[in-house]
Amino acid sequence: MMELFLLEHKKLWRRTSTKISAFLCFVYLVVFGSILSFQWFNFGSKVDFTSSDFGRNFDGYAAIRDRQEYALSFGRVLTDESLQQLVQDYQQMEEADSKRAWGLTDWIILNDWLRNLWPELHESGSYQAAISYFEPEKLTDFYERRQLVLEKYLENNNQTGKEKEYLLQIDERVSKPFYYGWIQGWQNLLSKTIDLSANSMALFLAIVLSTLFAGEWHDNTSSLVLTTKNGWKKIAFAKIVTGLAFTVELFAIIAICDIVSQLFFMGTTGWDMPVQMIKLTAIAPMNMLQAEIYEWTFTLLGMVGFAGIVMLISSAVKSNVLALLLSLAVVYVPTIIDPYLPFGLQKTLSLIPLVGSGTDIFRTYTFNIFGKYIWSPYLMIVVPVLIGIVCVPIAIKKWSRMIKV
């Protein structure tokens, strides 16, 4: 059986489409999505603050170190006093050199905190950012205000009663006071980079795995299967294992390279900051490292689930093109129609492998199952891989029926 798997695995990797897909996936997600993102697109120092993201210098490594050192100069623990000092220092810096203030600080994130937590300090008709004119000494009761904002946020989302109580119980596990450091790098990683990897790898998985079974018809080799000593069942099983192996290999290539790139540019600084530093109303009792582990795990399990679906489709049709189109439709059609669907249906569709997002750890979505509320990230990491597992035996049986015809 191992020999048969190795032959199928070698056959898959020999295909030009597999090599090109793996190469393009690496270039897009690792070279552009990670390395150049850190060094240039997102974190290089600004040449001109009125230009696009490409108006940056190729100095991300040094610029990131400067921002990290600046953030750490205010102490590791976020208190009313340290926040006041942050705002005061920003205002002084902005007055002396506004470009330096914008480039060195997490001013956009801090500004959101101020606007949401101290709305009474906002001057009607003012076009200035809150962080530019809010009086630092009035910024008190940070954690109490954050709690009030969270409760109001839940009520505005019609999450009241038992659902609100359930979500607030999860939030109670969030460690306080918060640790503070440079936030923007982790925000980009957890809100964009890993999520982009999951969405993009669906395309390349579909291209490669959609031909796994359907390709036998395309290559006119299906009739040979029954004449081999192994027969259709062992070959089908070997193909399934090959498809899953390729899925894990593609994930490993991208994830390991992205993590190495992350460690090179960002190091481990700020790993212990809570995710609430990115979004104050998040309830996830996770720090940045735990959130990253969750999102990569979500991506891997989602890829495995999606691989199962693609292989089922490939086993059910005789056309490579049709298998590819149907596989892509599984992920991208729900994404396209999502804005036009009722919210409950949107949440249900998010359980399809690679349709949902690991960034749900920043949200307060729940599922009500038999009267019991379950926070969406719990289900979204389990259900997609279960869907894929269910598809595997069906794929084997489906292909066997077609190959015998």
Side-chain angles (χ1 to χ4, degrees):
M1 193 63 194
M2 179 57 69
E3 181 182 359
L4 190 58
F5 160 70
L6 293 175
L7 287 173
E8 287 290 338
H9 187 263
K10 189 175 182 179
K11 177 182 175 182
L12 182 68
W13 273 103
R14 275 182 173 177
R15 290 178 180 170
T16 302
S17 60
T18 302
K19 295 175 182 177
I20 293 176
S21 294
F23 174 74
L24 292 178
C25 187
F26 177 84
V27 171
Y28 180 58
L29 295 178
V30 176
V31 178
F32 285 94
S34 184
I35 297 174
L36 291 180
S37 174
F38 278 121
Q39 183 65 15
W40 183 20
F41 301 153
N42 289 316
F43 300 112
S45 58
K46 275 280 192 178
V47 176
D48 179 3
F49 280 84
T50 63
S51 65
S52 66
D53 285 343
F54 289 96
R56 293 178 180 270
N57 293 306
F58 198 78
D59 62 350
Y61 181 87
I64 287 171
R65 291 295 181 277
D66 289 342
R67 292 161 187 158
Q68 287 177 331
E69 291 176 8
Y70 173 78
L72 292 175
S73 68
F74 294 92
R76 292 289 289 116
V77 178
L78 182 64
T79 62
D80 289 348
E81 291 73 21
S82 60
L83 177 61
Q84 291 169 5
Q85 187 180 357
L86 269 166
V87 174
Q88 184 177 34
D89 191 76
Y90 173 85
Q91 292 175 353
Q92 294 173 350
M93 191 187 307
E94 184 183 41
E95 186 175 350
D97 186 350
S98 58
K99 291 184 178 180
R100 175 174 168 77
W102 297 337
L104 190 61
T105 69
D106 279 314
W107 73 273
I108 295 177
I109 296 173
L110 296 175
N111 190 66
D112 284 340
W113 292 2
L114 302 186
R115 289 172 54 250
N116 291 326
L117 299 185
W118 290 276
E120 73 276 8
L121 299 181
H122 176 69
E123 294 179 1
S124 180
S126 175
Y127 294 99
Q128 281 186 296
I131 194 173
S132 298
Y133 70 90
F134 276 21
E135 298 176 46
E137 61 274 11
K138 293 184 179 180
L139 306 178
T140 58
D141 303 321
F142 176 87
Y143 294 100
E144 292 81 358
R145 285 175 175 265
R146 184 255 170 191
Q147 188 67 27
L148 292 174
V149 166
L150 172 59
E151 293 181 11
K152 184 177 180 181
Y153 173 80
L154 295 177
E155 291 173 0
N156 290 340
N157 288 340
N158 294 318
Q159 294 179 296
T160 57
K162 290 184 178 181
E163 184 179 11
K164 178 181 178 181
E165 182 181 348
Y166 167 72
L167 293 170
L168 290 177
Q169 285 176 353
I170 297 176
D171 181 70
E172 287 177 1
R173 306 205 307 266
V174 175
S175 298
K176 302 181 186 68
F178 299 158
Y179 287 121
Y180 176 74
W182 181 57
I183 304 168
Q184 188 183 358
W186 288 100
Q187 180 189 43
N188 188 77
L189 180 71
L190 298 177
S191 300
K192 298 177 183 178
T193 303
I194 302 177
D195 194 43
L196 173 65
S197 296
N199 291 333
S200 300
M201 282 192 279
L203 169 63
F204 298 107
L205 271 182
I207 292 173
V208 174
L209 299 185
S210 61
T211 62
L212 201 61
F213 290 101
E216 297 290 352
W217 301 99
H218 180 269
D219 299 335
N220 294 319
T221 58
S222 57
S223 60
L224 297 176
V225 173
L226 292 177
T227 65
T228 64
K229 64 179 181 180
N230 296 297
W232 64 265
K233 194 169 186 179
K234 287 185 178 180
I235 292 177
F237 185 75
K239 285 180 177 293
I240 292 291
V241 176
T242 297
L244 294 176
F246 174 80
T247 301
V248 174
E249 289 162 358
L250 182 64
F251 169 83
I253 291 170
I254 302 304
I256 291 174
C257 291
D258 272 358
I259 291 170
V260 169
S261 172
Q262 170 196 340
L263 290 174
F264 176 79
F265 286 102
M266 285 176 47
T268 58
T269 303
W271 70 268
D272 54 352
M273 291 189 295
V275 297
Q276 285 69 28
M277 302 298 280
I278 296 175
K279 185 177 180 180
L280 283 178
T281 54
I283 60 169
M286 300 178 180
N287 58 37
M288 301 296 187
L289 177 59
Q290 291 168 331
E292 181 175 5
I293 292 172
Y294 173 89
E295 290 196 14
W296 280 122
T297 302
F298 170 87
T299 301
L300 174 59
L301 296 181
M303 289 176 65
V304 170
F306 181 64
I309 294 176
V310 175
M311 289 188 286
L312 172 58
I313 293 172
S314 181
S315 70
V317 301
K318 297 182 179 182
S319 167
N320 284 345
V321 175
L322 180 59
L324 175 59
L325 292 176
L326 291 175
S327 298
L328 294 176
V330 170
V331 171
Y332 297 112
V333 168
T335 303
I336 294 172
I337 65 175
D338 182 82
Y340 310 102
L341 299 175
F343 183 62
L345 187 54
Q346 291 178 15
K347 291 195 298 181
T348 301
L349 290 178
S350 70
L351 297 176
I352 299 174
L354 299 183
V355 171
S357 171
T359 59
D360 259 31
I361 56 175
F362 295 104
R363 304 184 180 105
T364 59
Y365 298 161
T366 63
F367 289 88
N368 191 332
I369 300 178
F370 302 118
K372 183 177 178 62
Y373 288 103
I374 301 178
W375 186 39
S376 63
Y378 295 151
L379 286 180
M380 291 177 66
I381 203 170
V382 175
V383 173
V385 71
L386 292 179
I387 293 175
I389 291 172
V390 169
C391 288
V392 167
I394 302 175
I396 295 175
K397 184 177 293 187
K398 189 72 176 177
W399 193 63
S400 70
R401 289 177 180 173
M402 292 185 67
I403 206 73
K404 288 179 179 179
V405 175

